[in-house]
Amino acid sequence: MEGSDASSTSMLPMRSPHWHLVSRPAVASVPGDSSVPPWSGSVLGVLASLWSSSSLEELKLSLTWKQAADAWVQVRANVVAPVLQVAVALCMLMSVMLVSEKILMGATSLFAKVFRWRPQRRYKYHPLGEDMEVGYPMVLVQLPMYNEKQVYKLSIGAACGLLWPSDRIIIQVLDDSTDPEIKNLVELECKTWKGKGFNIKYEIRDNRHGYKAGALKEGMKHSYVGHCDFVAIFDADFQPEADFLMQTVPFLIHNPDICLVQTRWKFVNSNECMMTRIQEMSMDYHFKVEQESGSTMHSFFGFNGTAGVWRISALEEAGGWKDRTTVEDMDLAVRATLCGWKFVYLGNVKVKSELPSTLKALRSQQFRWSCGPANLFRKIHKEILKTKKVSPRKKIYLIYSFFIVRRIISHTVTFMFYCVVIPSSVFVPEVKVSTWGVVYIPTTITILNSVGTPSSFHLLLFWIFFENVMSMHRMRAVWTGLLETGKVNEWVVTKKLGSKLNEQKTEEPLKQTRLSISGRILFPELGMALYLFVCACYDLRYGKNNYFFYIYPQAITFFIVGIGYVGTLVPS
């Protein structure tokens, strides 16, 4: 050990003065030698003793540090390294599962695009003629709302603008608002459109039990719903184009085995800030690859809760809306597919919507979207295994691909591998991480995710670091759902600021932002930032794998998010 050699070497010169000093009193006692005082021998002897005691303490301290270092080496080699190596192996296995799933989805989506294997070719589809009055089915349009002051006019106006015979459509506004002022505004807007001849219903209830699922369930109980064949659902910030029903309903009319037609989301505020650009990349991948591949291979995918049309009979057969999780839309979709129904995704039909533009809103949304599916898997996996109406192949797809890999493993491995295991390995040189796990797999995943939004390819690095930060929040949500603890059923409505955010920023919200800066500090993220910074510094000084090139920017990203400096409204 270099430390022990240096310590032992430095101790040798410190002993020699003691040997000389001890001999001097004998010289001083020689008669006739007046150059040395008679008391000097005693003084020098005391000093020599003190010097010897100090050297002994330094020797003991040196031995203590050496023993501690040797003990750490033993513990590191025999305990820490094996545990960390197992963690590396598990993360590598999960990474292989994840990248294999993404390659399969990407290949399927590419096949559908190259060979034009669109729903219009796979299913019967005949456009409805504009002069076709008698054959139009009755359609219910549901608009669930909760204190949507900024967007209620947009959504109600868009629903009333749908091209459909006025006597064959009912627009149902389900207002769960708790703010009396907003409630009055929404009711007044409904009365305005009703005065123009539209069949619009304003429905409220005296509680918010079940949140959105409860509102939709109550909405289906009204007598006039019994006359409807299909129901289209739009969240408050969604604005469908006028021909939305004309493009979606024909699939349900001509294909009695189809129960759901899901369309794509188009974001009106994607260019507001870096955070919305990054969200757009993830959401575009979800629709262009995940939804497209699920529709092509299995006629199944997770209902997105909005911008879709359901066959009411199928909805009722599946058991209707349930509020047992925070993903009532996915719950309904899984139960419907277990009844043997098929889904269709229309990527060419786009509905305008809004992305969360504040970090608080995004975190609330992502917690719900990550916790809900994991909790749903806990509650429905036995039902999937027992059902006899779907093939074993679809059961495997539902349990392995749809739930385990995409909803559990993806969030867990992203955080644990790239933010914990790899950075921690810099302290344990005995642990080896294969290059293909550190470089090739994440590179493949990143490239596959970039195909959804080619225009944002230059933002890939920002996307990687931000998604890694969010993976900690998502992983916590996933395991909260799996273990059914904490805030597993907490529903926080994603706040919408409207498509004209810059025009709607007033002094009041800015003032509220300044006053709540202390509440925006995210201590877990700051703790991760500090830990990663230490890992990077250690790797820079002692490491050989050059992980610090990645760990430093990741630590900075954790710090930026930790202080809340992300989104359109940031601390001042």
Side-chain angles (χ1 to χ4, degrees):
M1 296 290 291
E2 294 180 1
S4 60
D5 292 339
S7 300
S8 59
T9 304
S10 63
M11 296 299 292
L12 292 175
M14 299 174 69
R15 293 184 179 182
S16 57
H18 173 59
W19 299 333
H20 294 296
L21 289 171
V22 171
S23 64
R24 287 190 179 184
V27 176
S29 63
V30 177
D33 190 356
S34 59
S35 61
V36 180
W39 48 266
S40 61
S42 301
V43 173
L44 293 175
V46 172
L47 293 176
S49 299
L50 292 174
W51 187 287
S52 178
S53 300
S54 175
S55 301
L56 183 60
E57 291 299 324
E58 291 183 11
L59 177 61
K60 290 180 179 179
L61 183 62
S62 175
L63 290 174
T64 301
W65 278 108
K66 179 179 181 300
Q67 292 171 351
D70 291 341
W72 160 243
V73 171
Q74 293 296 322
V75 172
R76 187 185 69 190
N78 298 320
V79 178
V80 179
V83 172
L84 197 57
Q85 196 66 59
V86 170
V88 169
L90 290 175
C91 289
M92 298 282 273
L93 175 62
M94 290 189 290
S95 297
V96 171
M97 295 166 65
L98 182 60
V99 74
S100 300
E101 185 68 20
K102 287 187 175 290
I103 290 175
L104 177 60
M105 290 190 297
T108 304
S109 179
L110 181 64
F111 168 82
K113 185 176 181 64
V114 171
F115 294 96
R116 300 182 181 276
W117 193 243
R118 298 306 184 190
Q120 289 81 354
R121 292 184 58 185
R122 302 199 306 270
Y123 301 102
K124 295 179 181 179
Y125 177 79
H126 302 289
L128 298 177
E130 295 183 0
D131 58 344
M132 180 181 172
E133 290 289 341
V134 179
Y136 282 93
M138 196 74 177
V139 176
L140 174 69
V141 179
Q142 288 185 317
L143 306 177
M145 295 186 179
Y146 174 73
N147 294 335
E148 308 289 358
K149 185 177 181 179
Q150 306 294 346
V151 294
Y152 73 94
K153 283 189 176 181
L154 296 175
S155 59
I156 294 176
C160 292
L162 291 171
L163 292 176
W164 206 255
S166 59
D167 62 333
R168 307 299 296 169
I169 186 172
I170 300 175
I171 300 170
Q172 186 186 65
V173 178
L174 304 170
D175 190 11
D176 267 3
S177 299
T178 54
D179 188 322
E181 179 186 355
I182 298 177
K183 216 165 192 175
N184 292 333
L185 290 173
V186 175
E187 184 177 10
L188 181 62
E189 185 71 11
C190 292
K191 289 181 178 178
T192 300
W193 285 100
K194 191 175 185 68
K196 296 179 181 179
F198 289 88
N199 189 3
I200 185 169
K201 309 287 185 180
Y202 177 72
E203 307 291 356
I204 61 174
R205 52 185 183 145
D206 57 3
N207 62 76
R208 290 194 66 221
H209 179 71
Y211 304 107
K212 180 182 175 181
L216 293 170
K217 185 176 181 179
E218 286 295 318
M220 297 299 293
K221 292 180 180 180
H222 294 280
S223 58
Y224 54 81
V225 176
H227 304 291
C228 299
D229 303 295
F230 310 116
V231 54
I233 303 170
F234 301 100
D235 282 350
D237 58 315
F238 279 71
Q239 306 164 47
E241 297 294 337
D243 62 347
F244 177 87
L245 295 177
M246 303 293 290
Q247 296 193 60
T248 55
V249 173
F251 285 97
L252 296 169
I253 294 176
H254 301 297
N255 300 274
D257 57 341
I258 292 178
C259 73
L260 169 66
V261 179
Q262 173 72 61
T263 60
R264 183 180 163 188
W265 300 358
K266 179 182 180 180
F267 308 107
V268 298
N269 65 331
S270 58
N271 292 322
E272 275 184 5
C273 60
M274 179 72 73
M275 191 182 76
T276 53
R277 290 290 298 274
I278 292 174
Q279 288 180 75
E280 182 189 32
M281 295 173 66
S282 299
M283 294 303 296
D284 281 351
Y285 173 82
H286 168 71
F287 283 105
K288 289 185 177 181
V289 178
E290 290 184 359
Q291 300 293 74
E292 184 72 66
S293 62
S295 178
T296 302
M297 285 192 298
H298 306 281
S299 299
F300 170 78
F301 45 82
F303 174 46
N304 297 117
T306 178
V309 186
W310 277 89
R311 186 185 300 275
I312 293 180
S313 60
L315 191 153
E316 293 174 345
E317 181 185 349
W321 295 103
K322 292 185 179 181
D323 58 3
R324 56 180 175 175
T325 69
T326 56
V327 284
E328 73 294 326
D329 43 15
M330 184 182 293
D331 188 354
L332 176 61
V334 174
R335 285 184 282 114
T337 200
L338 294 182
C339 293
W341 291 97
K342 294 181 179 180
F343 303 168
V344 173
Y345 168 70
L346 299 182
N348 61 310
V349 181
K350 302 176 184 179
V351 180
K352 295 178 182 177
S353 62
E354 181 181 331
L355 289 164
S357 53
T358 65
L359 181 60
K360 181 179 179 180
L362 176 63
R363 284 170 60 84
S364 297
Q365 180 200 70
Q366 293 300 307
F367 188 91
R368 188 173 73 248
W369 286 3
S370 302
C371 177
N375 189 235
L376 176 62
F377 176 68
R378 173 192 174 102
K379 294 178 177 179
I380 206 171
H381 70 278
K382 292 182 180 179
E383 188 177 343
I384 296 174
L385 293 173
K386 292 179 181 179
T387 186
K388 297 181 179 179
K389 293 186 178 181
V390 298
S391 64
R393 173 173 167 268
K394 182 168 282 191
K395 289 182 182 181
I396 294 174
Y397 171 75
L398 282 171
I399 293 178
Y400 173 78
S401 299
F402 186 75
F403 278 113
I404 294 179
V405 176
R406 299 185 207 170
R407 268 74 192 180
I408 299 175
I409 285 180
S410 62
H411 303 316
T412 302
V413 71
T414 301
F415 175 69
M416 290 302 299
F417 194 31
Y418 302 111
C419 299
V420 176
V421 174
I422 291 178
S424 298
S425 68
V426 303
F427 299 116
V428 189
E430 293 88 351
V431 173
K432 304 298 179 183
V433 184
S434 300
T435 303
W436 61 270
V438 179
V439 180
Y440 301 141
I441 286 182
T443 300
T444 303
I445 292 175
T446 302
I447 293 175
L448 289 173
N449 275 277
S450 68
V451 300
T453 314
S455 60
S456 298
F457 187 81
H458 61 290
L459 301 176
L460 271 181
L461 288 179
F462 297 99
W463 177 83
I464 292 171
F465 294 127
F466 183 75
E467 284 294 299
N468 286 348
V469 173
M470 290 300 298
S471 68
M472 182 172 74
H473 186 63
R474 294 183 184 123
M475 189 191 76
R476 185 164 60 243
V478 164
W479 288 98
T480 297
L482 280 176
L483 301 177
E484 208 164 27
T485 60
K487 301 178 180 180
V488 63
N489 289 319
E490 183 182 53
W491 181 285
V492 179
V493 177
T494 305
K495 186 177 181 180
K496 291 89 177 179
L497 301 179
S499 58
K500 298 182 180 180
L501 176 69
N502 294 329
E503 298 179 8
Q504 295 173 352
K505 284 183 180 177
T506 61
E507 295 180 0
E508 181 179 358
L510 290 178
K511 182 178 179 181
Q512 291 175 350
T513 303
R514 294 189 184 100
L515 292 176
S516 61
I517 291 177
S518 60
R520 298 171 65 95
I521 300 299
L522 304 174
F523 290 102
E525 279 74 6
L526 290 179
M528 280 301 304
L530 177 61
Y531 176 71
L532 291 175
F533 183 77
V534 172
C535 293
C537 292
Y538 187 90
D539 186 60
L540 177 63
R541 177 65 180 84
Y542 301 104
K544 298 180 181 180
N545 295 316
N546 297 323
Y547 290 157
F548 64 88
F549 281 111
Y550 154 75
I551 302 176
Y552 270 129
Q554 188 64 75
I556 294 172
T557 309
F558 266 103
F559 177 76
I560 293 173
V561 175
I563 61 175
Y565 209 79
V566 178
T568 53
L569 299 179
V570 297
S572 301

